[in-house]
Amino acid sequence: MKRKPSRSGTRSLTDELAELRGLDPTALKQRWRLLYRTEAPVHIGQALLLGAVAYRLQERVLGALRSSTRRLLERAAEDNVDRRSPTEVPAAKVTPGTVLIREWHGTSHHVTVLADGVLLRGARYRSLSEVARKITGTRWSGPRFFGLRAPAKGSDHGTR
C-alpha cells in the first residue's frame, strides 16, 4: 500500500509522529489549530493533546474511520453516559455471637465473632483479615474471604 505524502510536504508520517514527542505544549496547541482549525480545549492534558494531534495526522494520511464505525462508537458513548459505575455491595453486618464458616483446602474453619475481635480455634484475633491471613498464609480481605463481600471481578476464590 502506497502512502500519500503528508500535507506538510514529503516528510513521512513516521517522521511527523516522532517529531510530536519533542514539542512543548504551546507548539502542540499550534499544531492542533492547524489540524483542527479551532483552538485546543483550555484544560486538555498533554497526553490527550499529543494523541489527538497524532490521530489527526494519521487520519489525513491513512484516511478516517468509516461512517459505520463512527456511528457505532457514538452509540457506545451515548449508552455509557446513562450507566452508572457499579458500586460495591457493602459488607454484611455481623453481630457478636455470629459463627462464620469457611472451607479452605478441604478444611472447615469456624470463626466466632466477638464484640472486640474474632475467635478461631480458641485463639483471639483483632480482625477477620488477620484470621484469613492465618488460614491462607497470604494477605486477604477478611470480609471478602468469609463471603461477606462480593469477590473482585474476575477473581472468584470460592468466597460466594
Side-chain angles (χ1 to χ4, degrees):
M1 176 177 155
K2 191 173 181 180
R3 288 186 187 158
K4 308 183 277 188
S6 71
R7 194 160 190 222
S8 60
T10 59
R11 291 190 314 157
S12 73
L13 176 61
T14 305
D15 293 339
E16 285 191 76
L17 293 175
E19 178 186 275
L20 290 180
R21 291 212 178 268
L23 297 179
D24 63 16
T26 304
L28 272 174
K29 287 181 181 182
Q30 186 177 14
R31 292 297 296 269
W32 175 289
R33 276 193 301 278
L34 289 170
L35 293 166
Y36 287 93
R37 298 177 190 209
T38 183
E39 292 297 317
V42 177
H43 298 292
I44 190 170
Q46 177 87 5
L48 185 55
L49 182 62
L50 177 69
V53 169
Y55 177 82
R56 183 53 64 101
L57 287 172
Q58 292 174 72
E59 185 180 55
R60 285 191 165 183
V61 173
L62 304 173
L65 291 174
R66 293 188 327 222
S67 59
S68 61
T69 303
R70 190 178 298 272
R71 282 192 307 272
L72 178 67
L73 290 171
E74 286 170 357
R75 275 198 312 269
E78 287 171 8
D79 288 349
N80 201 28
V81 167
D82 296 335
R83 291 191 186 129
R84 293 190 176 164
S85 59
T87 56
E88 187 171 310
V89 178
K93 301 283 186 210
V94 291
T95 56
T98 301
V99 176
L100 303 171
I101 303 169
R102 174 66 154 89
E103 187 173 321
W104 180 256
H105 293 298
T107 303
S108 186
H109 301 276
H110 297 253
V111 175
T112 304
V113 177
L114 306 171
D116 59 347
V118 292
L119 188 66
L120 171 70
R121 294 188 291 269
R124 294 175 88 89
Y125 296 90
R126 291 177 300 189
S127 68
L128 285 174
S129 295
E130 195 174 354
V131 170
R133 203 170 308 125
K134 176 79 174 165
I135 293 169
T136 65
T138 60
R139 294 183 64 87
W140 273 80
S141 158
R144 186 162 285 153
F145 180 77
F146 284 97
L148 301 174
R149 274 199 194 131
K153 281 192 178 211
S155 65
D156 181 8
H157 296 287
T159 57
R160 283 239 152 182

